[in-house]
Amino acid sequence: MGYFAGVIWKGDKLIDGVPETLDMLRSKGKRLVFVTNNSTKSRKQYGKKFETLGLNVGEEEIFASSFAAAAYLKSIDFPKDKKVYVIGEDGILKELELAGFQYLGGPEDGGKKIELKPGFLMEHDEEVGAVVVGFDRYFNYYKVQYGTLCIRENPGCLFIATNRDAVTHLTDAQEWAGGGSMVGAICGSTQREPLVVGKPSTFMMDYLADKFGILKSQICMVGDRLDTDILFGQNGGCKTLLVLSGVTTLSMLQSPSNSIQPDFYTNKISDFLAPKAATV
């Protein structure tokens, strides 16, 4: 099981040796699953990205947090007559649609403004039974108020976060504010904590173990982030391998202030191809 950016690719470039490594692991009968906290794309959209990079990865092997949000709602038998308000991008909408849920919000609310006239009251849909919050480049005050009204005023309304990542890597020039900033705004206004479906929450790990009929102790989580990937593996009772080809450097790993230690670490995933790894 692995993560994409920092393990498989960086920006739009494959990390050296990835295709050969995936082929080798598959030839040894290993099941590969690709897990990401990025909710801006659906599984189908990610499948296309793998394809353009020349990697043969099926949709059923891809688990984005956009899919996790829809899978969670399915797992709790969320009523089909209720609606989901989305603060996030297209990936969440596509996965909700595939799962047969009604939704509103998403990118089209990005252009909406509130005209604060005296006595103005903002209406909201009382049929909304869940608010799903993910990374959103079109985040605005309209969405904050709409999501807040649903959570505060609709009885039993769920507050679901795809992830709480502090930073994301929109470009390789710097770190950018992550989905945690959108989630944090809704926490601040509702005074509620969300149910998180992405890493490091165990929902996706439980779902995968159940779907593929494997024990969590048989899974190795490969990732480049300590606070999401490695913690996700540890929370789920898996072995963990940190690769230093992404966000985490060796000095960060060995820093006295870091409390998250993987079972193994290596420079990049293609180190699996080294002769000494042949027995893995």
Side-chain angles (χ1 to χ4, degrees):
M1 183 185 297
Y3 176 55
F4 309 174
V7 177
I8 304 297
W9 62 61
K10 255 192 167 170
D12 287 317
K13 289 197 185 75
L14 268 185
I15 289 170
D16 284 351
V18 164
E20 300 86 341
T21 308
L22 301 187
D23 288 346
M24 181 274 291
L25 290 169
R26 283 205 172 101
S27 73
K28 291 185 178 297
K30 307 293 181 196
R31 180 181 283 284
L32 302 181
V33 178
F34 300 86
V35 183
T36 178
N37 265 358
N38 190 330
S39 62
T40 61
K41 291 185 175 72
S42 64
R43 287 166 300 163
K44 195 184 253 348
Q45 289 168 311
Y46 266 120
K48 288 205 172 79
K49 172 146 186 180
F50 276 106
E51 208 177 294
T52 58
L53 290 170
L55 293 175
N56 186 20
V57 173
E59 238 176 271
E60 71 289 347
E61 297 177 302
I62 299 167
F63 288 84
S65 65
S66 50
F67 169 74
Y72 174 75
L73 289 170
K74 255 190 166 162
S75 76
I76 60 164
D77 292 324
F78 183 75
K80 290 284 164 95
D81 59 340
K82 288 277 188 192
K83 297 175 190 169
V84 181
Y85 182 67
V86 178
I87 297 175
E89 299 193 16
D90 196 41
I92 300 172
L93 305 188
K94 282 196 159 60
E95 293 293 356
L96 288 172
E97 199 171 324
L98 279 172
F101 293 116
Q102 301 179 67
Y103 62 81
L104 60 156
E108 73 169 37
D109 280 3
K112 293 184 179 172
K113 292 187 169 58
I114 294 173
E115 225 185 304
L116 289 177
K117 301 181 288 242
F120 176 73
L121 178 138
M122 184 169 165
E123 301 283 348
H124 75 284
D125 192 328
E126 290 173 8
E127 295 298 306
V128 170
V131 175
V132 173
V133 184
F135 176 77
D136 189 351
R137 278 167 290 195
Y138 315 103
F139 193 61
N140 59 19
Y141 188 65
Y142 178 92
K143 295 183 185 187
V144 174
Q145 177 66 357
Y146 201 102
T148 300
L149 288 172
C150 293
I151 292 167
R152 277 209 207 134
E153 298 186 13
N154 292 1
C157 183
L158 303 170
F159 173 19
I160 297 167
T162 60
N163 69 81
R164 296 186 89 159
D165 294 0
V167 298
T168 187
H169 293 84
L170 299 179
T171 67
D172 53 12
Q174 64 183 167
E175 290 189 328
W176 297 79
S181 55
M182 292 85 205
V183 176
I186 306 300
C187 291
S189 59
T190 60
Q191 294 296 290
R192 286 252 310 265
E193 285 298 302
L195 185 131
V196 182
V197 291
K199 299 177 289 189
S201 144
T202 58
F203 171 73
M204 275 210 277
M205 195 66 85
D206 295 337
Y207 182 90
L208 292 168
D210 187 49
K211 179 181 165 67
F212 296 120
I214 48 179
L215 297 170
K216 286 182 262 189
S217 57
Q218 294 175 292
I219 299 172
C220 180
M221 176 66 199
V222 181
D224 71 316
R225 286 185 178 213
L226 291 164
D227 60 345
T228 55
D229 303 324
I230 302 307
L231 199 54
F232 173 60
Q234 290 176 346
N235 287 348
C238 307
K239 286 276 183 274
T240 55
L241 168 67
L242 176 76
V243 288
L244 302 172
S245 52
V247 173
T248 309
T249 61
L250 188 58
S251 60
M252 284 159 74
L253 171 65
Q254 294 174 339
S255 159
S257 63
N258 168 44
S259 60
I260 304 165
Q261 293 296 327
D263 294 299
F264 312 101
Y265 72 87
T266 191
N267 287 318
K268 56 188 185 300
I269 197 170
S270 60
D271 292 346
F272 270 134
L273 297 169
K276 65 171 182 281
T279 54
V280 169

